[in-house]
Amino acid sequence: MPTDYVKNCGLQLEKLKDKEDITILAIESSCDETACAITRGRKVLSSVIASQIEIHKRYGGVVPEIASRNHVMAISQITSEALGRAGLKPEDIDCVAVTYGAGLLGALLVGVSFAKAYAYALNKPLIAVNHIRGHVAANYLADPQLKPPYICLIASGGHTAVVKVDDYEDLKLLGSTQDDACGEAFDKVARVLGLLYPGGPEIQKLAKEGKPSVHLPTPLRNSEGYDFSYSGLKTAVINYVHTKEQKGEEFSKADVACSFQEKAVEIMTDAAVRAAEDNELKTVVIAGGVAANERLREVMRQKAEKRGFKVYYPPLGLCTDNAAMIASEAYNLIRSGAKPADITLDASATVKITDVSPRA
């Protein structure tokens, strides 16, 4: 391990700790978006995303090997484009940040390998970022006035959880999914209804044409905690559709989509509101890809207004996977006194929400 490089980077981060306008180049490649963003403080100077959605639509979901190959082809180009849009040269940045987990291992390795080489070549510090915590940090870019403590509902294709954010780097997990994540359930229900991948936007669109007329169960109804379960809800929808098809009975796909979305949103918002009330907090934040769902935002606003809560959520461009949120979390880490990662940094397919950055 190049100890001189690590020592030098540690000294650089010590100086950056008290700097508000830190310039960060961030890389994100955890799934099917190759992204690079440059931020200065809480301001996004540029954000470039090469999406692979159209490629993976034909397979009904993300194919890991294809995703990884496309990351390799795109990552250098989008990094150059991000720098160009920001009007900066590589040497103008203060540090490099990268998603090290969670996600598809092969896809993550592309970003981690590129970021390690880039940081080392520039002799700049490398900050390893937890993807899930990055989703939370996206809200600081959307509204710099947001400050802990608050309750955060994290809802994405791979994670569904309620977290108490006591400080920028002090997150406590209150509850999480016991099986399927919410976004995963959206994709599976969309598939059984014959809709395209990704399922979330398709379900949302179809639900607008329907009514919540299909009775669906509420998993963990009597639970006193904040855990989620979407497997039973997903299965109930699949059984309903298959039963109707086997009997040759007509049914409204729009009503099924609407009923599922209403129940999925009800489960999430109820847990977040209960957590806020139980912890005597007046702020609820939504984070993750499912935060783009219009009905989720609407219901959360309604429940918040009734209870005198404030609700925050990112703009659509910061809900789905992007590198700006990774830069935002890196900024939090640096200001909190983080140590640099080194060139032995490895990717991890699974990380906990409470896991902070790996360090040298």
Side-chain angles (χ1 to χ4, degrees), residues 66-89:
I66 294 176
S68 299
R69 290 170 191 160
N70 279 276
H71 285 313
V72 171
M73 290 188 289
I75 195 163
S76 180
Q77 180 181 339
I78 64 146
T79 301
S80 296
E81 187 174 341
L83 283 165
R85 290 186 185 182
L88 298 176
K89 298 176 181 178

Side-chain angles (χ1 to χ4, degrees), residues 336-351:
S336 299
K339 302 298 181 183
D342 61 57
I343 60 171
T344 65
L345 174 69
D346 201 0
S348 178
T350 58
V351 297

